[in-house]
Amino acid sequence: MDMEQSILFNIIDGVGIITLNRPHVSNALSQDMITALLEIFQSLNRHDSLKLLILEGRGSHFMAGGDVELFSLLNQSPRVRQEQMRPMMDQVHTLIRLMIDTHVPIIAKVHGTVAGFGMSLIMACDLIIMADHVKLHPAYIHIGLSPDGLFTFHLPRAIGVKKAMYHSLLGEPIDARMAERLGLVSQVVPQQQLDQRVTQVTDILKQKSSTALRHTKSLLNMSFSSTMKHQSFEELAAFEDCIGTDEFIAGVMSFLQKKKD
């Protein structure tokens, strides 16, 4: 269904496809997009058959940062600028937290340019599959802004503090191959193979246990803030939950059958 003109959302055979749909402005972030994305992620628990999500951008680019219309406050006083932007920034951070907490894996299918909040958006996804021509632009510093959208939470955890400092303070772009070497993305493929590879990964994930996927995502995300003892308890509880599912029985039977074959 079309949640908003700026965002398209469809569920096909258990796969939710979220499309950033403002190609005429390189999918630059607008208030309508934020509102629509929030509505989607707040409603996901109602879709029992949902197995995973794909986040993609329509047109030549994934996302070229924030729409300049969001910064039409330049003639206002500092206090007015801050007060008018604060609600939107609260929504942005709520969106990113919802993405991280979502019970299904999210695949970012990335092509073209990714700038500013576009980087925050893909880093909140669980798998990032990227075309080899992509450039990532941590562009906040160029317009006198510090990063947002949990950019500073995800980037140093992915590539280390010193590399994160370098690219964030200088605003130096990161090309696709460098992003892969640094551990910022899951996989880089030739541009013409991007659709095919995302389809392959999607088909693999669809065959996995929904319970195991949910617990694995949650356990890995909590690991950076968890103590070893707490992580141990969480793993044991998740493992026990998985053992109690029919998916576990089916998985074991399938594995044993493959060994026989």
Side-chain angles (χ1 to χ4, degrees), residues 235-256:
E235 280 194 3
L236 287 168
F239 196 86
E240 183 177 359
D241 190 31
C242 290
I243 287 176
T245 66
D246 292 339
E247 295 167 310
F248 166 68
I249 296 174
V252 172
M253 297 302 293
S254 175
F255 176 76
L256 293 175

PDB file of all heavy atoms in Angstrom, residues 235-256:
ATOM      1  N   GLU A 235      21.101 -15.178  26.490  1.00  0.00           N
ATOM      2  CA  GLU A 235      21.309 -16.246  25.506  1.00  0.00           C
ATOM      3  C   GLU A 235      20.590 -17.527  25.920  1.00  0.00           C
ATOM      4  O   GLU A 235      19.962 -18.202  25.091  1.00  0.00           O
ATOM      5  CB  GLU A 235      22.800 -16.522  25.330  1.00  0.00           C
ATOM      6  CG  GLU A 235      23.514 -15.552  24.425  1.00  0.00           C
ATOM      7  CD  GLU A 235      24.885 -16.063  24.007  1.00  0.00           C
ATOM      8  OE1 GLU A 235      25.253 -17.207  24.379  1.00  0.00           O
ATOM      9  OE2 GLU A 235      25.599 -15.316  23.307  1.00  0.00           O
ATOM     10  N   LEU A 236      20.700 -17.869  27.203  1.00  0.00           N
ATOM     11  CA  LEU A 236      20.041 -19.089  27.689  1.00  0.00           C
ATOM     12  C   LEU A 236      18.529 -19.003  27.510  1.00  0.00           C
ATOM     13  O   LEU A 236      17.885 -19.969  27.073  1.00  0.00           O
ATOM     14  CB  LEU A 236      20.392 -19.319  29.159  1.00  0.00           C
ATOM     15  CG  LEU A 236      21.821 -19.795  29.441  1.00  0.00           C
ATOM     16  CD1 LEU A 236      22.126 -19.707  30.928  1.00  0.00           C
ATOM     17  CD2 LEU A 236      22.015 -21.222  28.934  1.00  0.00           C
ATOM     18  N   ALA A 237      17.951 -17.849  27.841  1.00  0.00           N
ATOM     19  CA  ALA A 237      16.501 -17.679  27.706  1.00  0.00           C
ATOM     20  C   ALA A 237      16.074 -17.753  26.244  1.00  0.00           C
ATOM     21  O   ALA A 237      15.053 -18.377  25.908  1.00  0.00           O
ATOM     22  CB  ALA A 237      16.080 -16.344  28.318  1.00  0.00           C
ATOM     23  N   ALA A 238      16.858 -17.127  25.365  1.00  0.00           N
ATOM     24  CA  ALA A 238      16.527 -17.143  23.942  1.00  0.00           C
ATOM     25  C   ALA A 238      16.650 -18.553  23.367  1.00  0.00           C
ATOM     26  O   ALA A 238      15.798 -19.008  22.592  1.00  0.00           O
ATOM     27  CB  ALA A 238      17.446 -16.183  23.184  1.00  0.00           C
ATOM     28  N   PHE A 239      17.717 -19.247  23.753  1.00  0.00           N
ATOM     29  CA  PHE A 239      17.944 -20.611  23.270  1.00  0.00           C
ATOM     30  C   PHE A 239      16.791 -21.525  23.685  1.00  0.00           C
ATOM     31  O   PHE A 239      16.277 -22.320  22.886  1.00  0.00           O
ATOM     32  CB  PHE A 239      19.267 -21.127  23.838  1.00  0.00           C
ATOM     33  CG  PHE A 239      19.808 -22.348  23.152  1.00  0.00           C
ATOM     34  CD1 PHE A 239      20.588 -22.235  22.017  1.00  0.00           C
ATOM     35  CD2 PHE A 239      19.540 -23.616  23.651  1.00  0.00           C
ATOM     36  CE1 PHE A 239      21.097 -23.364  21.380  1.00  0.00           C
ATOM     37  CE2 PHE A 239      20.038 -24.747  23.028  1.00  0.00           C
ATOM     38  CZ  PHE A 239      20.821 -24.621  21.881  1.00  0.00           C
ATOM     39  N   GLU A 240      16.365 -21.379  24.936  1.00  0.00           N
ATOM     40  CA  GLU A 240      15.256 -22.196  25.437  1.00  0.00           C
ATOM     41  C   GLU A 240      13.973 -21.902  24.671  1.00  0.00           C
ATOM     42  O   GLU A 240      13.203 -22.816  24.338  1.00  0.00           O
ATOM     43  CB  GLU A 240      15.055 -21.934  26.931  1.00  0.00           C
ATOM     44  CG  GLU A 240      13.972 -22.791  27.563  1.00  0.00           C
ATOM     45  CD  GLU A 240      13.850 -22.569  29.059  1.00  0.00           C
ATOM     46  OE1 GLU A 240      14.625 -21.753  29.611  1.00  0.00           O
ATOM     47  OE2 GLU A 240      12.979 -23.200  29.677  1.00  0.00           O
ATOM     48  N   ASP A 241      13.741 -20.625  24.377  1.00  0.00           N
ATOM     49  CA  ASP A 241      12.553 -20.249  23.615  1.00  0.00           C
ATOM     50  C   ASP A 241      12.584 -20.878  22.223  1.00  0.00           C
ATOM     51  O   ASP A 241      11.571 -21.398  21.738  1.00  0.00           O
ATOM     52  CB  ASP A 241      12.474 -18.724  23.509  1.00  0.00           C
ATOM     53  CG  ASP A 241      11.148 -18.245  22.943  1.00  0.00           C
ATOM     54  OD1 ASP A 241      10.119 -18.923  23.157  1.00  0.00           O
ATOM     55  OD2 ASP A 241      11.132 -17.190  22.287  1.00  0.00           O
ATOM     56  N   CYS A 242      13.747 -20.855  21.578  1.00  0.00           N
ATOM     57  CA  CYS A 242      13.874 -21.446  20.242  1.00  0.00           C
ATOM     58  C   CYS A 242      13.607 -22.952  20.268  1.00  0.00           C
ATOM     59  O   CYS A 242      12.947 -23.495  19.364  1.00  0.00           O
ATOM     60  CB  CYS A 242      15.270 -21.182  19.681  1.00  0.00           C
ATOM     61  SG  CYS A 242      15.598 -19.465  19.234  1.00  0.00           S
ATOM     62  N   ILE A 243      14.112 -23.631  21.293  1.00  0.00           N
ATOM     63  CA  ILE A 243      13.930 -25.081  21.394  1.00  0.00           C
ATOM     64  C   ILE A 243      12.448 -25.448  21.482  1.00  0.00           C
ATOM     65  O   ILE A 243      12.025 -26.511  21.016  1.00  0.00           O
ATOM     66  CB  ILE A 243      14.703 -25.636  22.613  1.00  0.00           C
ATOM     67  CG1 ILE A 243      16.203 -25.636  22.313  1.00  0.00           C
ATOM     68  CG2 ILE A 243      14.244 -27.037  22.987  1.00  0.00           C
ATOM     69  CD1 ILE A 243      17.062 -26.075  23.472  1.00  0.00           C
ATOM     70  N   GLY A 244      11.645 -24.558  22.034  1.00  0.00           N
ATOM     71  CA  GLY A 244      10.222 -24.834  22.197  1.00  0.00           C
ATOM     72  C   GLY A 244       9.382 -24.619  20.957  1.00  0.00           C
ATOM     73  O   GLY A 244       8.163 -24.793  21.007  1.00  0.00           O
ATOM     74  N   THR A 245      10.001 -24.265  19.837  1.00  0.00           N
ATOM     75  CA  THR A 245       9.225 -23.956  18.632  1.00  0.00           C
ATOM     76  C   THR A 245       9.178 -25.136  17.660  1.00  0.00           C
ATOM     77  O   THR A 245      10.080 -25.982  17.636  1.00  0.00           O
ATOM     78  CB  THR A 245       9.833 -22.749  17.885  1.00  0.00           C
ATOM     79  OG1 THR A 245      11.135 -23.101  17.389  1.00  0.00           O
ATOM     80  CG2 THR A 245       9.944 -21.543  18.804  1.00  0.00           C
ATOM     81  N   ASP A 246       8.132 -25.156  16.847  1.00  0.00           N
ATOM     82  CA  ASP A 246       8.038 -26.146  15.769  1.00  0.00           C
ATOM     83  C   ASP A 246       9.124 -25.913  14.724  1.00  0.00           C
ATOM     84  O   ASP A 246       9.550 -26.852  14.035  1.00  0.00           O
ATOM     85  CB  ASP A 246       6.661 -26.076  15.106  1.00  0.00           C
ATOM     86  CG  ASP A 246       5.545 -26.544  16.030  1.00  0.00           C
ATOM     87  OD1 ASP A 246       5.842 -27.287  16.995  1.00  0.00           O
ATOM     88  OD2 ASP A 246       4.384 -26.157  15.793  1.00  0.00           O
ATOM     89  N   GLU A 247       9.560 -24.657  14.594  1.00  0.00           N
ATOM     90  CA  GLU A 247      10.611 -24.337  13.623  1.00  0.00           C
ATOM     91  C   GLU A 247      11.910 -25.059  13.971  1.00  0.00           C
ATOM     92  O   GLU A 247      12.668 -25.456  13.074  1.00  0.00           O
ATOM     93  CB  GLU A 247      10.848 -22.824  13.593  1.00  0.00           C
ATOM     94  CG  GLU A 247       9.662 -22.022  13.079  1.00  0.00           C
ATOM     95  CD  GLU A 247       9.805 -20.541  13.363  1.00  0.00           C
ATOM     96  OE1 GLU A 247      10.098 -20.181  14.523  1.00  0.00           O
ATOM     97  OE2 GLU A 247       9.619 -19.740  12.428  1.00  0.00           O
ATOM     98  N   PHE A 248      12.177 -25.226  15.262  1.00  0.00           N
ATOM     99  CA  PHE A 248      13.375 -25.959  15.688  1.00  0.00           C
ATOM    100  C   PHE A 248      13.296 -27.417  15.236  1.00  0.00           C
ATOM    101  O   PHE A 248      14.251 -27.960  14.673  1.00  0.00           O
ATOM    102  CB  PHE A 248      13.519 -25.874  17.206  1.00  0.00           C
ATOM    103  CG  PHE A 248      14.510 -26.845  17.781  1.00  0.00           C
ATOM    104  CD1 PHE A 248      15.865 -26.722  17.524  1.00  0.00           C
ATOM    105  CD2 PHE A 248      14.076 -27.900  18.579  1.00  0.00           C
ATOM    106  CE1 PHE A 248      16.781 -27.629  18.053  1.00  0.00           C
ATOM    107  CE2 PHE A 248      14.976 -28.808  19.110  1.00  0.00           C
ATOM    108  CZ  PHE A 248      16.341 -28.672  18.844  1.00  0.00           C
ATOM    109  N   ILE A 249      12.150 -28.042  15.458  1.00  0.00           N
ATOM    110  CA  ILE A 249      11.980 -29.441  15.050  1.00  0.00           C
ATOM    111  C   ILE A 249      12.143 -29.573  13.538  1.00  0.00           C
ATOM    112  O   ILE A 249      12.854 -30.459  13.041  1.00  0.00           O
ATOM    113  CB  ILE A 249      10.595 -29.961  15.488  1.00  0.00           C
ATOM    114  CG1 ILE A 249      10.493 -29.959  17.016  1.00  0.00           C
ATOM    115  CG2 ILE A 249      10.343 -31.361  14.932  1.00  0.00           C
ATOM    116  CD1 ILE A 249       9.118 -30.306  17.542  1.00  0.00           C
ATOM    117  N   ALA A 250      11.508 -28.666  12.796  1.00  0.00           N
ATOM    118  CA  ALA A 250      11.603 -28.714  11.335  1.00  0.00           C
ATOM    119  C   ALA A 250      13.039 -28.503  10.873  1.00  0.00           C
ATOM    120  O   ALA A 250      13.507 -29.155   9.928  1.00  0.00           O
ATOM    121  CB  ALA A 250      10.690 -27.659  10.720  1.00  0.00           C
ATOM    122  N   GLY A 251      13.750 -27.599  11.533  1.00  0.00           N
ATOM    123  CA  GLY A 251      15.133 -27.328  11.163  1.00  0.00           C
ATOM    124  C   GLY A 251      16.039 -28.520  11.394  1.00  0.00           C
ATOM    125  O   GLY A 251      16.892 -28.846  10.555  1.00  0.00           O
ATOM    126  N   VAL A 252      15.864 -29.193  12.531  1.00  0.00           N
ATOM    127  CA  VAL A 252      16.678 -30.373  12.832  1.00  0.00           C
ATOM    128  C   VAL A 252      16.373 -31.498  11.850  1.00  0.00           C
ATOM    129  O   VAL A 252      17.289 -32.160  11.333  1.00  0.00           O
ATOM    130  CB  VAL A 252      16.437 -30.840  14.281  1.00  0.00           C
ATOM    131  CG1 VAL A 252      17.127 -32.179  14.528  1.00  0.00           C
ATOM    132  CG2 VAL A 252      16.948 -29.793  15.265  1.00  0.00           C
ATOM    133  N   MET A 253      15.097 -31.722  11.570  1.00  0.00           N
ATOM    134  CA  MET A 253      14.715 -32.786  10.638  1.00  0.00           C
ATOM    135  C   MET A 253      15.276 -32.516   9.244  1.00  0.00           C
ATOM    136  O   MET A 253      15.754 -33.428   8.561  1.00  0.00           O
ATOM    137  CB  MET A 253      13.191 -32.907  10.581  1.00  0.00           C
ATOM    138  CG  MET A 253      12.548 -33.322  11.899  1.00  0.00           C
ATOM    139  SD  MET A 253      13.165 -34.913  12.520  1.00  0.00           S
ATOM    140  CE  MET A 253      12.506 -36.018  11.273  1.00  0.00           C
ATOM    141  N   SER A 254      15.238 -31.251   8.824  1.00  0.00           N
ATOM    142  CA  SER A 254      15.783 -30.893   7.514  1.00  0.00           C
ATOM    143  C   SER A 254      17.289 -31.118   7.472  1.00  0.00           C
ATOM    144  O   SER A 254      17.830 -31.625   6.479  1.00  0.00           O
ATOM    145  CB  SER A 254      15.454 -29.428   7.205  1.00  0.00           C
ATOM    146  OG  SER A 254      16.051 -29.018   6.000  1.00  0.00           O
ATOM    147  N   PHE A 255      17.974 -30.754   8.555  1.00  0.00           N
ATOM    148  CA  PHE A 255      19.426 -30.937   8.630  1.00  0.00           C
ATOM    149  C   PHE A 255      19.790 -32.418   8.557  1.00  0.00           C
ATOM    150  O   PHE A 255      20.711 -32.821   7.832  1.00  0.00           O
ATOM    151  CB  PHE A 255      19.943 -30.328   9.928  1.00  0.00           C
ATOM    152  CG  PHE A 255      21.415 -30.549  10.167  1.00  0.00           C
ATOM    153  CD1 PHE A 255      22.363 -29.819   9.475  1.00  0.00           C
ATOM    154  CD2 PHE A 255      21.845 -31.500  11.091  1.00  0.00           C
ATOM    155  CE1 PHE A 255      23.717 -30.032   9.687  1.00  0.00           C
ATOM    156  CE2 PHE A 255      23.195 -31.715  11.307  1.00  0.00           C
ATOM    157  CZ  PHE A 255      24.138 -30.982  10.606  1.00  0.00           C
ATOM    158  N   LEU A 256      19.058 -33.254   9.296  1.00  0.00           N
ATOM    159  CA  LEU A 256      19.333 -34.691   9.293  1.00  0.00           C
ATOM    160  C   LEU A 256      19.063 -35.308   7.929  1.00  0.00           C
ATOM    161  O   LEU A 256      19.794 -36.197   7.474  1.00  0.00           O
ATOM    162  CB  LEU A 256      18.489 -35.382  10.368  1.00  0.00           C
ATOM    163  CG  LEU A 256      18.836 -35.027  11.824  1.00  0.00           C
ATOM    164  CD1 LEU A 256      17.850 -35.678  12.778  1.00  0.00           C
ATOM    165  CD2 LEU A 256      20.266 -35.445  12.157  1.00  0.00           C
TER     166      LEU A 256
END
